[in-house]
Amino acid sequence: MHSTSKTTRATLIGLLAVLLWSSIVGLIRSVSANFGVTGGAALIYTVASILLLLTVGPSKVRAFPRAYLAWGSLLFVAYEMCLALSIGYASTNRQAIEVGMVNYLWPAFTMVFAIVFNGRRTSWLIAPGLALAIGGVCWVLGGDAGLDAAAMASNVRDNPLSYGLAFAGALIWASYCTVTARIANGSNGVTWFFMLTALALWVKYLVVDGPALRFEAQAVVHLLLAAAAMGFGYAAWNVGILHGNVTILAGASYFIPVLSAALAALLLDTPLSFPFWQGAAMVCAGSILCWLATRQSAQ
């Protein structure tokens, strides 16, 4: 009985991570508006690193396999920079939410990469799953018109940097998940990776001569919330994966795109059209189909 309650508690902590991660798009956008794109991101990862040091503890870097230290560091830092900067560079709040949706192609890509590079067995569901996820993002990018190629192309042309970074981020995170599954050997470098990300962002901030940082009460509150969502999200997920019900957590994580859009719309006071929600639902459904494709074949 005690073991069951411990598992349930760990699962609930893992589910908290899903909620925290779902708030990240809106919070990053809010912090970027107050502190600038690079300065805001650097502050988020700096505070999150401190929170991780206090909760997860320092990473045992010397014990890491060398391949994990090298590839894990490179891919993690590259992804986090793509995520934060793609949202920050968005022209409008609506575009920031759309960019976040492009980023959520990573679950579907992760399954495809696991099949191609790790030899994961799969079923025919993988094809419609990937098509549905990509189709959902295209639906979102079509704006109020829904699945409209001209509207989608016009939208992407308006800010190719943001959309490009988000798409690159989805590919990079899928690569990170695929590579580290093979070479991590039980290591958890999240604290170290966050510190490296903060360092890389401060270097970019100093090199491009970013604007002076102005600390106002509301801006600081949003900064602390964003850092907590980032840092505690990873810490909570780690507890859930190690001690909770992994099946429940995996299933819940595929609903992050819809939750993220809902929380971002609320935080940024940005109404979203019905076609947007259709597209977001398609992204979720596509990711779930990809997941089912690998689960069915493994049974």
Side-chain angles (χ1 to χ4, degrees):
M1 183 68 78
H2 178 70
S3 175
T4 305
S5 64
K6 186 181 176 183
T7 302
T8 303
R9 192 161 56 247
T11 304
L12 289 172
I13 291 171
L15 289 173
L16 177 63
V18 171
L19 193 61
L20 289 171
W21 281 339
S22 297
S23 67
I24 282 173
V25 171
L27 288 169
I28 289 177
R29 179 65 180 175
S30 180
V31 173
S32 297
N34 288 307
F35 293 106
V37 176
T38 307
L43 284 169
I44 290 172
Y45 286 93
T46 300
V47 179
S49 296
I50 295 168
L51 293 175
L52 282 167
L53 280 169
L54 296 173
T55 53
V56 177
S59 300
K60 296 180 175 65
V61 178
R62 290 184 180 179
F64 289 174
R66 286 188 178 181
Y68 173 64
L69 182 60
W71 285 107
S73 298
L74 177 66
L75 293 171
F76 191 99
V77 172
Y79 167 71
E80 297 295 342
M81 289 186 74
C82 281
L83 173 66
L85 298 179
S86 66
I87 295 167
Y89 285 134
S91 305
T92 63
N93 288 342
R94 162 73 188 243
Q95 195 174 80
I97 299 171
E98 290 180 357
V99 162
M101 197 58 61
V102 174
N103 168 70
Y104 288 125
L105 280 171
W106 71 259
F109 287 160
T110 299
M111 292 302 168
V112 173
F113 284 14
I115 293 159
V116 175
F117 300 111
N118 286 356
R120 187 92 170 258
R121 294 178 64 191
T122 186
S123 74
W124 62 272
L125 285 173
I126 193 72
L130 185 61
L132 198 57
I134 293 173
V137 167
C138 292
W139 204 288
V140 164
L141 297 186
D144 294 342
L147 195 59
D148 184 317
M152 184 182 78
S154 173
N155 205 359
V156 173
R157 271 199 308 270
D158 178 55
N159 192 346
L161 177 61
S162 270
Y163 290 114
L165 283 171
F167 187 74
L171 292 172
I172 292 167
W173 191 247
S175 303
Y176 171 84
C177 294
T178 307
V179 169
T180 55
R182 287 192 347 219
I183 62 176
N185 199 23
S187 302
N188 178 15
V190 66
T191 304
W192 169 252
F193 295 155
F194 260 75
M195 291 166 68
L196 281 182
T197 304
L199 178 63
L201 285 163
W202 281 122
V203 168
K204 180 181 183 300
Y205 177 79
L206 294 171
V207 168
V208 300
D209 192 30
L213 300 171
R214 291 182 301 177
F215 291 86
E216 296 171 2
Q218 187 180 8
V220 171
V221 169
H222 284 163
L223 167 61
L224 292 175
L225 287 172
M230 282 279 195
F232 290 148
Y234 278 99
W237 186 253
N238 200 45
V239 171
I241 288 298
L242 290 175
H243 308 292
N245 187 316
V246 177
T247 304
I248 290 174
L249 293 176
S253 69
Y254 291 116
F255 292 96
I256 289 178
V258 168
L259 272 175
S260 174
L263 289 174
L266 196 64
L267 185 66
L268 302 174
D269 194 22
T270 305
L272 299 171
S273 62
F274 182 65
F276 178 96
W277 293 113
Q278 286 178 307
M282 287 167 67
V283 173
C284 291
S287 297
I288 291 168
L289 278 180
C290 290
W291 175 63
L292 287 173
T294 57
R295 279 188 63 80
Q296 279 188 353
S297 61
Q299 290 171 351

